[in-house]
Amino acid sequence: MSRFKVSKFRHTEARPSRREAWISDIRAGTTASCGNHIKSSCHLIAFNSDRPGVLGIVPLESQGEDKRQVTYLGCHSDLVTDLDFSPFDDFLLATGSADRTVKLWRLPASGQALPSVPGLVLGPEPVQVEVLHFHPTADGVLASAAGMAVKVWDVAKHQALTELAAHGDLVQAAVWSRDGALLGTICKDKQLRIFDPRAKPGASQSTEAHKNGKDGRLAWTGIQEHLVSTGFNQMREHEVKVWDTRHFSSALASLTLDTSPGSLMLLLDPDSGLLILAGKGESRLSCYEVLPQQPALSPVTQCLLESVLRGAALVPRRALAIMNCEVLRVLQLSNTAIVPVSYHVPRKAVEFHEDLFPDTAGCVPASDPHAWWAGSNQQVQKVSLHPAHRPHPSFTSCLVPPMEPSLDAAQPAETPVGDTDPSEGFSSPLSSLASPSTPSSLGPSLSSTSGIGTSPSQRSLQSLLGPSSKFRHAQGTVLHRDSHITNLKGLNLTTPGESDGFCANRLRVAVPLLSSGGQVAVLELQKPGRLPDTALPTLQNGAAVTDLAWDPFDPYRLAVGGEDARIRLWRVPPEGLQEVLTTPEAVLTGHTEKIYSLRFHPLAADLLASSSYDLTIRIWDLQARAEQLRLQGHRDQIFSLAWSPSGQHLATVCKDGYLRVYEPRGGPEPLQEGPGPEGARGARVVWVCDGQCLLVSGFDSRSERQLLLYPAEALAGGPLAVLGLDVAPSTLLPSYDPDTSLVLLTGKGDTRVFLYELLPEAPFFLECNSFTSTDPHKGFILLPKTECDVREVEFARCLRLRQTSLEPVAFRLPRVRKEFFQDDVFPDTTVSWEPVLSAKAWLGGANGQPRLINLQPPGMSPVSQAPREAPARRVPSSAIYLEEKSDQQKKEELLNAMVAKLGNREDPLPQDSFEGVDEDEWAKYLAQIIVMGVQVVGRAFARALRQEFAASRAAADARGRAGHQSAAASNLSGLSLQEAQQILNVSKLSPEEIQKNYEHLFKVNDKSVGGSFYLQSKVVRAWERLQEELRIQAQEDREKEQMPKT
């Protein structure tokens, strides 16, 4: 007798599910974090989507034959770094985020709306949250890691019971022991630590885990004293170690794997001792058994995957197919699908195998936070996995009470019962996609693109795909060459980064030239075409131009800032610039260094703000031609300034790393300050979302261009959201359209214009189609709304400055009913060319509201009032009826029509209970019977009826027997027919081809020639499966021959 105990898992097979069982058409996101990006309870799956702060939620099991539908939950303002389901309540989810908060969510059962607000919020932490782990025995105890600190929370009281802060670097994993007494952590400082949180905040034990501190993972085994860790060694190879806390100085066992840059995810089932190793970015799952004796890690099996791993999770044992001997189920997260991979132990008897499925921890907690913290070590009562002992007791945590079902969800009044889209099985209404704070804020951006309303199928699609902009299909088009201004020469392409490079109003464009003396060319937009080769009439500034701006209330006045610290006001004649002008209308002096930026007040006439290298902002009364206000507080170069839409505040972004908001009439010091972009290469600021937010475009510490969205009333708290775009040298220049909440972003020298819809709530940024050109542009600005062609659903018109030409670019929205005015795209717009106040009134403290106008052209009706069109009925051409057809053609058409009618019936027919014949075949048989009944009478009809039924029943019986035999053969061999054909590389069941490929593959995989016995055994099993299928087909052919002819 062998002295070595044989493992019961030695024959375990990994079976990736068929594509029909995949959860497809998802949009998974895998940002760099310490989490696995996907978690599962016994009822739900949660995973990271490609939208920052948004999770995908999907049922674990499908309901009947309906396809599982994914809904999306907007839960954080930044990336979700980790998530964890409660071990007791399958619908309680904890999420941690880069926004430094931890949130608890009560998820609904299938078919109900997702929550719009979290049940609990913990934090904020000083840095982003990295790891979350619920306590295994006490409901309401949660461990979280953020930076170098680990906190143990009493969730119900919103307070930390203790903080474990003995780490020297970023904590990468924090895991409770199975009895909940100890907490193990692994850190970037390469140390593995064991804590007893109730005894002291310091580590009770510590040792070096892995030589490389790149990315470590940790898990406790079923044996109380044993842990398993994964990490990297000095050669950057994946490494797995088993530890015993009683002998903590060195590892109990160590295993070195391959070299790979991705972290090695560790999925351990403590009941069975099976360990799954999954490397991010790889396409393989490795299964090991963790044994208490040597060797501590025993290989079991490997599974090759069709797609690359982005994340992985274990399904709880209570949700496994016990009677099929499923001992593990892994959920593989790829870019576009969730693939279940089942691990089965082959057993002959279909019964409950107690050796494979010992009792496991139930879902009723043993204690509460108070009792556990007081020293209770009571354990969770175990339950049997035997199907006869189900259902197990359920538990609903009181941390987040269950949601009350809404009347709208219970009684949908919009959708008729018989007209429901079958794809709307597991979906949520629009509010489920909104931010935790104000879900209704997403209403406008999620409305129907027709402007008439939102149909149930559209709402279902929105709930599946997450929030989306109605401008997502926007198309940017360069207008016809007849509208271009060409033959531009001598452009100044080296204007400062704080300047847009040129400026335009509805009549003219001002472009700086490279000639000495700070010349500015003024071009008429109403006179496109080729410019003359001779020199153009210009404005002679006498100093290099740093920035320029048209007066919004006087289309003939141009303000130009120069390097000589002066601002010159030019008056362009109404007929255009006919000669060189050397004398400006006025010169403003006061700055002591060169000018940065010029910005006219949005509501008050004759009011101009300027920033300079002297680190001040000065506000000028152009009527009095004098400085009225001076703002200070900047400690470095002022990158940008912007007036608020109300004109009461002024925002600046500075090279010293701060974003500031001033109330100019209240004092020279900033009203509030907040952290700006990390990079110091340049930045821009603009007010968005009706003045509720500030959008800043800048750079991070790695020179990546990014967008930062700040709440205008609370800059000190940092940005609400950060969106990284790309790496490029030029600063993104934002052009914001307040009517549509769209921002267009591009840089000097770029070829792409980004387009985003901005929201004051999560998910904050909704991406739309971008515009791409073949050559780089030198500038890109937005023209007034009145220049858009509303009849063509043109919501924005821009000017693109190239090296030798100026091109108009139209942004349009594809719409079906363009004969109507699209009032959802064109709300009333501001009369931006009429002042509301005078400079004197504003300086005296007055405020005002701009006048609005309707852009609806005469003769057009709003699409919101358009009558709904009934679906057009397709009428066949009369030629079809006039065409002469043979009797056989008429018979076939009649047969097909009857088949279609019968196939669409929902009532069950008698033949539905027969096996082996699908509905279409039965419909065809019945149609043939009816046709024959029309052609014969009396006994001939009855005889034909009996013949058809006999033939159909015989075919059904034969096919049913064949189908059962084939399925039984697949179950017996463990290989499906398709898998066997793929192994032997045969497309048709040809005995000669099967035998030929079998002999070849058996020979090349022989161990004597360097082959694999495992692959050779697969070849043999595939050959046996195909031989069995040939035998079944031969038997079916013989039965068909013996069938009575009709």
Side-chain angles (χ1 to χ4, degrees):
M1 180 178 177
S2 174
R3 61 189 177 92
F4 297 104
K5 186 177 178 180
V6 177
S7 172
K8 57 179 172 285
F9 299 110
R10 64 188 183 280
H11 297 306
T12 300
E13 296 177 349
R15 301 177 185 175
S17 59
R18 299 179 183 275
R19 286 186 176 270
E20 293 78 16
W22 291 13
I23 303 171
S24 304
D25 301 325
I26 67 170
R27 301 174 299 171
T30 55
T31 53
S33 70
C34 298
N36 288 355
H37 307 301
I38 180 171
K39 286 292 175 68
S40 172
S41 71
C42 291
H43 290 86
L44 297 175
I45 302 171
F47 63 92
N48 284 86
S49 75
D50 62 347
R51 295 177 181 271
V54 179
L55 291 180
I57 309 294
V58 64
L60 177 64
E61 303 291 346
S62 59
Q63 305 295 324
E65 296 182 357
D66 294 337
K67 185 178 179 181
R68 284 174 285 185
Q69 305 293 346
V70 182
T71 51
Y72 289 88
L73 173 68
C75 47
H76 286 277
S77 61
D78 207 336
L79 304 171
V80 177
T81 52
D82 199 16
L83 59 155
D84 194 25
F85 277 103
S86 167
F88 312 113
D89 190 337
D90 291 334
F91 299 95
L92 185 63
L93 177 69
T95 60
S97 170
D99 66 6
R100 303 179 296 163
T101 61
V102 177
K103 297 181 181 180
L104 267 70
W105 302 86
R106 165 69 59 187
L107 300 180
S110 176
Q112 298 181 19
L114 290 176
S116 58
V117 294
L120 285 172
V121 180
L122 304 177
E125 297 295 310
V127 294
Q128 75 175 28
V129 179
E130 297 289 348
V131 179
L132 295 176
H133 195 206
F134 275 105
H135 196 275
T137 64
D139 179 44
V141 177
L142 177 70
S144 70
M148 297 186 291
V150 177
K151 288 184 178 180
V152 179
W153 295 90
D154 181 345
V155 176
K157 294 184 177 179
H158 295 69
Q159 67 180 17
L161 296 172
T162 184
E163 181 173 344
L164 314 176
H167 303 89
D169 208 327
L170 177 72
V171 179
Q172 299 167 334
V175 186
W176 290 104
S177 61
R178 199 176 185 190
D179 64 354
L182 302 177
L183 184 71
T185 66
I186 196 166
C187 184
K188 199 172 182 180
D189 63 5
K190 310 174 188 176
Q191 293 293 309
L192 170 61
R193 296 175 175 88
I194 304 298
F195 293 86
D196 185 350
R198 294 176 293 185
K200 59 178 182 178
S204 57
Q205 290 179 282
S206 178
T207 187
E208 185 180 54
H210 301 275
K211 296 292 184 182
N212 192 319
K214 187 176 179 184
D215 192 3
R217 303 297 172 93
L218 190 64
W220 292 81
T221 70
I223 301 173
Q224 177 61 30
E225 296 83 8
H226 288 185
L227 301 91
V228 179
S229 67
T230 62
F232 293 82
N233 60 16
Q234 286 180 319
M235 304 300 293
R236 297 186 179 179
E237 296 172 316
H238 280 152
E239 194 173 46
V240 185
K241 290 186 178 182
V242 181
W243 304 88
D244 189 336
T245 55
R246 296 165 296 187
H247 310 284
F248 211 48
S249 58
S250 61
L252 195 66
S254 180
L255 178 67
T256 301
L257 303 174
D258 56 353
T259 301
S260 178
S263 58
L264 189 62
M265 292 177 287
L266 186 154
L267 308 175
L268 178 62
D269 176 28
D271 289 335
S272 63
L274 291 178
L275 169 69
I276 300 295
L277 299 176
K280 286 186 180 179
E282 298 183 6
S283 55
R284 179 182 62 194
L285 294 175
S286 301
C287 181
Y288 290 83
E289 185 179 4
V290 182
L291 303 170
Q293 68 273 10
Q294 296 288 348
L297 288 172
S298 174
V300 176
T301 186
Q302 286 192 351
C303 178
L304 298 180
L305 306 171
E306 293 188 25
S307 54
V308 173
L309 265 166
R310 299 303 179 194
L314 277 183
V315 173
R317 284 180 74 80
R318 300 194 306 273
L320 299 179
I322 303 299
M323 300 306 291
N324 291 338
C325 295
E326 184 186 24
V327 293
L328 276 185
R329 190 188 307 167
V330 178
L331 299 176
Q332 176 216 348
L333 179 66
S334 66
N335 289 328
T336 58
I338 297 174
V339 182
V341 180
S342 295
Y343 288 80
H344 292 259
V345 176
R347 293 288 174 93
K348 292 183 179 180
V350 181
E351 60 185 21
F352 177 71
H353 297 277
E354 192 171 357
D355 60 325
L356 296 179
F357 302 102
D359 292 351
T360 190
C363 57
V364 178
S367 59
D368 56 21
H370 176 74
W372 175 81
W373 186 247
S376 172
N377 287 322
Q378 189 174 353
Q379 297 302 297
V380 175
Q381 185 177 358
K382 293 191 174 184
V383 296
S384 172
L385 294 176
H386 197 294
H389 298 163
R390 294 184 181 181
H392 300 132
S394 61
F395 176 80
T396 301
S397 176
C398 61
L399 298 174
V400 181
M403 295 182 299
E404 292 293 333
S406 64
L407 295 176
D408 294 338
Q411 299 176 352
E414 297 183 52
T415 310
V417 174
D419 198 26
T420 304
D421 189 343
S423 66
E424 299 177 21
F426 188 81
S427 61
S428 62
L430 302 184
S431 62
S432 68
L433 304 171
S435 163
S437 52
T438 352
S440 61
S441 65
L442 291 184
S445 65
L446 293 174
S447 61
S448 167
T449 55
S450 66
I452 300 175
T454 308
S455 69
S457 60
Q458 286 170 330
R459 286 197 299 270
S460 175
L461 184 63
Q462 289 162 352
S463 67
L464 295 177
L465 300 181
S468 59
S469 171
K470 61 185 170 187
F471 299 96
R472 62 189 179 277
H473 300 303
Q475 299 172 352
T477 308
V478 177
L479 297 184
H480 193 270
R481 188 175 176 82
D482 291 346
S483 60
H484 298 187
I485 297 176
T486 60
N487 199 33
L488 279 172
K489 295 181 179 180
L491 293 181
N492 183 7
L493 304 178
T494 59
T495 52
E498 293 75 29
S499 170
D500 289 345
F502 74 115
C503 65
N505 59 19
R506 55 190 176 88
L507 299 177
R508 297 179 174 86
V509 181
V511 184
L513 300 181
L514 196 58
S515 307
S516 60
Q519 299 184 38
V520 177
V522 178
L523 311 175
E524 300 290 322
L525 286 177
Q526 308 303 324
K527 299 177 182 179
R530 181 182 173 86
L531 296 176
D533 293 330
T534 56
L536 296 172
T538 59
L539 306 175
Q540 298 279 354
N541 281 278
V545 175
T546 54
D547 198 18
L548 63 172
W550 288 102
D551 189 334
F553 310 120
D554 186 349
Y556 307 109
R557 181 160 63 180
L558 178 69
V560 181
E563 287 191 351
D564 58 356
R566 297 183 178 186
I567 302 172
R568 292 170 176 82
L569 301 177
W570 297 89
R571 174 72 55 180
V572 178
E575 64 276 7
L577 203 60
Q578 304 294 328
E579 59 182 3
V580 175
L581 297 183
T582 57
T583 304
E585 182 183 59
V587 178
L588 306 177
T589 58
H591 282 297
T592 58
E593 299 285 348
K594 70 177 182 179
I595 308 297
Y596 280 141
S597 307
L598 301 175
R599 296 292 184 270
F600 278 94
H601 195 279
L603 300 180
D606 300 320
L607 212 58
L608 177 69
S610 63
S611 64
S612 165
Y613 268 83
D614 60 15
L615 307 185
T616 65
I617 294 176
R618 309 193 185 205
I619 297 176
W620 309 83
D621 183 349
L622 303 186
Q623 194 71 29
R625 300 180 182 180
E627 173 191 330
Q628 299 294 336
L629 299 170
R630 183 182 303 182
L631 308 179
Q632 56 195 24
H634 299 92
R635 295 184 291 273
D636 207 329
Q637 178 184 352
I638 304 170
F639 284 139
S640 176
L641 73 154
W643 288 101
S644 65
S646 64
Q648 300 179 36
H649 297 93
L650 190 72
T652 67
V653 60
C654 183
K655 193 175 182 179
D656 62 9
Y658 283 92
L659 178 67
R660 295 176 174 89
V661 170
Y662 290 83
E663 189 176 2
R665 294 172 296 185
E669 297 298 327
L671 190 64
Q672 53 175 322
E673 293 184 352
E678 296 178 1
R681 298 179 58 180
R684 287 298 183 94
V685 62
V686 63
W687 294 79
V688 298
C689 301
D690 296 326
Q692 300 180 49
C693 300
L694 284 165
L695 179 70
V696 177
S697 65
F699 296 85
D700 64 8
S701 57
R702 298 168 297 179
S703 297
E704 181 184 17
R705 296 197 293 191
Q706 60 178 196
L707 300 179
L708 302 95
L709 191 67
Y710 292 82
E713 299 297 328
L715 297 184
L720 291 170
V722 179
L723 178 66
L725 293 179
D726 57 5
V727 177
S730 58
T731 306
L732 286 169
L733 311 179
S735 300
Y736 180 70
D737 178 15
D739 295 342
T740 58
S741 292
L742 290 174
V743 62
L744 294 90
L745 299 134
T746 190
K748 298 176 185 178
D750 287 2
T751 58
R752 181 180 180 184
V753 179
F754 297 96
L755 192 63
Y756 287 92
E757 182 177 356
L758 302 179
L759 305 173
E761 303 291 342
F764 302 106
F765 298 98
L766 299 180
E767 186 175 5
C768 306
N769 277 349
S770 57
F771 167 76
T772 306
S773 55
T774 56
D775 59 328
H777 39 251
K778 311 306 177 184
F780 201 90
I781 59 174
L782 185 67
L783 289 176
K785 198 76 169 187
T786 52
E787 300 306 299
C788 297
D789 187 352
V790 175
R791 295 181 181 273
E792 293 297 323
V793 201
E794 180 184 328
F795 59 86
R797 179 168 294 192
C798 303
L799 285 179
R800 175 174 177 258
L801 180 63
R802 300 173 62 197
Q803 192 157 3
T804 60
S805 65
L806 193 67
E807 303 173 344
V809 179
F811 287 86
R812 295 169 178 167
L813 198 61
R815 286 290 173 94
V816 176
R817 308 179 71 181
K818 293 169 65 174
E819 67 273 15
F820 293 97
F821 171 64
Q822 309 293 322
D823 50 351
D824 62 321
V825 178
F826 300 102
D828 292 350
T829 191
T830 303
V831 181
S832 58
W833 56 92
E834 291 181 1
V836 179
L837 303 165
S838 65
K840 183 178 180 181
W842 184 86
L843 291 168
N847 295 313
Q849 293 293 328
R851 186 168 65 89
L852 302 177
I853 61 167
N854 195 324
L855 294 175
Q856 180 178 337
M860 292 186 76
S861 301
V863 71
S864 59
Q865 301 175 10
R868 292 184 179 271
E869 292 184 349
R873 187 176 180 181
R874 295 182 180 179
V875 181
S877 170
S878 59
I880 297 177
Y881 301 104
L882 298 176
E883 182 184 359
E884 288 294 331
K885 300 176 183 177
S886 64
D887 293 340
Q888 183 63 28
Q889 287 177 324
K890 293 177 182 178
K891 181 178 178 181
E892 288 293 329
E893 285 187 5
L894 176 62
L895 187 63
N896 292 335
M898 300 181 78
V899 167
K901 265 193 168 304
L902 291 169
N904 288 332
R905 287 180 58 89
E906 296 181 357
D907 299 331
L909 299 175
Q911 61 269 21
D912 291 341
S913 60
F914 299 154
E915 297 180 354
V917 182
D918 58 18
E919 294 179 359
D920 289 343
E921 287 189 70
W922 269 114
K924 189 170 183 178
Y925 286 133
L926 287 180
Q928 290 176 351
I929 293 170
I930 296 172
V931 172
M932 292 179 66
V934 174
Q935 296 175 346
V936 297
V937 292
R939 288 179 298 177
F941 172 76
R943 185 170 59 251
L945 190 63
R946 287 194 297 271
Q947 290 173 352
E948 291 297 329
F949 266 112
S952 302
R953 188 58 182 269
D957 291 341
R959 295 191 182 201
R961 288 193 297 273
H964 282 307
Q965 292 174 1
S966 181
S970 296
N971 290 334
L972 188 61
S973 64
L975 281 179
S976 67
L977 176 60
Q978 183 181 7
E979 290 170 338
Q981 287 179 287
Q982 290 175 347
I983 291 173
L984 290 187
N985 194 24
V986 293
S987 56
K988 296 181 179 180
L989 294 181
S990 168
E992 295 80 9
E993 186 180 2
I994 292 172
Q995 188 64 27
K996 178 182 176 182
N997 289 5
Y998 163 69
E999 292 175 354
H1000 170 71
L1001 292 172
F1002 187 86
K1003 185 176 180 180
V1004 298
N1005 285 290
D1006 193 273
K1007 212 165 185 180
S1008 61
V1009 294
S1012 166
F1013 177 75
Y1014 171 76
L1015 294 178
Q1016 200 176 40
S1017 65
K1018 282 283 188 183
V1019 170
V1020 173
R1021 290 175 58 196
W1023 178 79
E1024 291 175 346
R1025 176 66 184 88
L1026 295 180
Q1027 292 297 324
E1028 182 64 20
E1029 190 67 26
L1030 290 174
R1031 186 191 66 77
I1032 294 171
Q1033 287 193 0
Q1035 181 181 348
E1036 183 182 359
D1037 293 340
R1038 287 195 299 271
E1039 290 178 355
K1040 284 183 179 179
E1041 292 175 358
Q1042 296 173 4
M1043 195 181 303
K1045 296 183 179 181
T1046 57

